[in-house]
Amino acid sequence: MPTLSGGSWVSQFPGSTSIDDLEPGFRLGVASFLGELAEAGATVRVSATYRPPERAYLMHWSWLIARGDADATAVPAMAGVDIEWSHGDAVRSQRAAAEMVTGYGTGGASVAPALASRHTQRRAIDMNISWTGTLSVRTANGTVRDIASVPRDGTNAELIQVGAGYGVIHFNNVNADRPHWSNDGH
């Protein structure tokens, strides 16, 4: 028997924050980049690496239903996720989906979380990076790059260039998904 949507689903199909759960080739680049950031004195908070497809499904549809962009009675089923999106009327369905959006922390997103993404492929990491003063970080070719420009966070254009050298590419639209880095910028 399906379980109604709502906040209790957020703990189901947990995602990872460990770089050990990344695809081996990408993991190597991430580990090197993060090691150099730590050595340079930057603060890094990883919020997501691997996301199971079931979690991506729940995040995607809860976001759309909560905003009224999808009808809870018309959401396609996913094998292994025994959820009932419809609570009998649109308002209750949207309220339950909104609980999930809050739990997932996706409310500020300008687009629905993807059903299939680099996270579900183990090729993405969401992280917040910050520092004070000038960041002197070693690049992949071994030179040290002094970054004195602002902002002093993961959206800094110079830092994004350094990450690219390690094969850790910031999301193409930097301000649309500020913490997202992947193997190809998607």
Side-chain angles (χ1 to χ4, degrees):
M1 173 129 184
T3 302
L4 285 170
S5 62
S8 65
W9 279 94
V10 174
S11 63
Q12 302 298 310
F13 311 105
S16 175
T17 59
S18 173
I19 67 170
D20 291 340
D21 290 324
L22 295 171
E23 181 274 327
F26 183 59
R27 179 179 57 231
L28 181 62
V30 168
S32 296
F33 183 43
L34 294 183
E36 295 303 334
L37 287 171
E39 182 70 27
T43 299
V44 178
R45 274 190 10 257
V46 175
S47 57
T49 55
Y50 173 64
R51 180 174 299 137
E54 297 87 353
R55 187 172 187 84
Y57 165 85
L58 293 168
M59 292 171 73
H60 176 83
W61 289 107
S62 64
W63 191 91
L64 290 171
I65 293 166
R67 292 175 46 100
D69 293 341
D71 179 349
T73 64
V75 175
M78 181 180 197
V81 183
D82 201 15
I83 189 170
E84 175 56 58
W85 292 104
S86 176
H87 288 246
D89 68 61
V91 171
R92 287 188 298 186
S93 300
Q94 286 176 318
R95 190 175 303 129
E99 288 178 11
M100 295 171 71
V101 167
T102 298
Y104 291 128
T106 56
S110 58
V111 296
L115 284 171
S117 72
R118 298 302 178 264
H119 283 290
T120 59
Q121 298 169 354
R122 301 178 184 266
R123 293 183 172 142
I125 182 169
D126 287 351
M127 57 184 164
N128 291 301
I129 304 167
S130 63
W131 67 91
T132 57
T134 299
L135 183 70
S136 297
V137 62
R138 187 168 310 281
T139 66
N141 69 12
T143 63
V144 174
R145 179 136 182 204
D146 293 327
I147 302 175
S149 59
V150 294
R152 289 183 176 93
D153 63 29
T155 65
N156 181 288
E158 292 182 84
L159 181 67
I160 289 170
Q161 290 175 348
V162 172
Y166 289 98
V168 183
I169 316 295
H170 197 285
F171 187 63
N172 295 327
N173 184 346
V174 174
N175 290 314
D177 197 346
R178 298 172 67 83
H180 185 77
W181 301 69
S182 68
N183 66 315
D184 65 359
H186 290 84

